[in-house]
Amino acid sequence: MTASTLITVAPTGAESAKSDVPALPVTLDELVATAVDCQAAGAAVVHVHIRDDAGAPTLDQARLRDTVAALRESTDLIVQLSTGGAVSDGEAPRLAVLDAAPDMASCTMGTVNFGDDVFMNRWGFIVDLHEKMRDLRVVPEYEIFDLGHLANLERLLDRHGPPFGGHVHVDFVLGVPGGGAGDAQTVVAMAEAARRHLPEGSTFSATGIGRATLPVMFASLAAGGHLRVGMEDTVSFARRQPVESNAQLVTRAAAVAELAQRPAMDIPAARELLRIRG
Ligand code: KMH
Ligand code: ZN
């Protein structure tokens, strides 16, 4: 079991609206300020979705490049761009996200129902993402919404080789209506399946959507996993208590990790673990 806990913050996402969640960081200044606070609170990775001037999700290339540059300027965080985008985004702009040259990018390992929508991830598109990331020296974080996605990742690695850097890191995203349940049993089942399907030494983090946040956090730590938290995944800190900031969520995750005797991993250690290019 790793001695420390990698904490990823996913501050914005593509699903919540600023009008519903005023604390959501949607402008570049808000995102950078959040990232600075989250680094101070113990995060090592920032998983980034960006918004346009109206606050709507966008994959605009210039904005993505400016965002990567601004995060690098103000923080030491590992910058992970989302290639998932919003459910309405097409494959070409999602693939083009990688041209903004992040340290890492997400790569979802299969199609999944997403509430009333469908989050489309065709096999051929997954292969394109995996290979383009390797060409551009971008480290993938494979997003696992359900058990079959782990079998799919095994198939990807068998047929198309290891990712850039050689280390396999996955993130279990649990509690999406249509995906794996957000409970401790599912985290344990996923961790078990990861051991069967993935190369030795692979690592996982986990995040629970909404009320699944705490059960998934506790179970992931107990099962030897790492953590992702943030307003992409939860906007309630507790019953009838809206999240005040992403740093509030990172601070809680770091405190729980400390209690579990696996304190937050520092950024140099996270770069080494994930084999981020120098
Ligand atoms: N917004 C979801 C449709 C990712 O960032 O890679 C996809 C998502 C996964 O959030
Ligand atoms: Zn995301």
Side-chain angles (χ1 to χ4, degrees), residues 233-248:
D233 302 332
T234 183
V235 293
S236 292
F237 190 74
R239 211 164 129 79
R240 294 201 200 88
Q241 193 184 331
V243 170
E244 286 166 12
S245 68
N246 281 286
Q248 183 190 29

Side-chain angles (χ1 to χ4, degrees), residues 148-239:
H149 292 186
L150 283 167
N152 217 22
L153 178 53
E154 180 177 24
R155 186 161 73 115
L156 181 74
L157 299 173
D158 279 353
R159 294 190 181 179
H160 297 277
F164 170 70
H167 179 75
V168 175
H169 180 70
V170 302
D171 178 44
F172 305 150
V173 185
L174 300 177
V176 170
D183 55 29
Q185 293 86 338
T186 304
V187 173
V188 171
M190 292 279 205
E192 256 317 296
R195 270 185 273 279
R196 273 184 287 115
H197 288 294
L198 304 184
E200 204 179 328
S202 299
T203 49
F204 72 88
S205 58
T207 185
I209 304 300
R211 67 184 58 173
T213 299
L214 288 174
V216 168
M217 179 186 298
F218 294 139
S220 184
L221 283 170
H226 300 276
L227 303 178
R228 173 174 122 172
V229 293
M231 295 177 76
E232 172 166 347
D233 302 332
T234 183
V235 293
S236 292
F237 190 74
R239 211 164 129 79

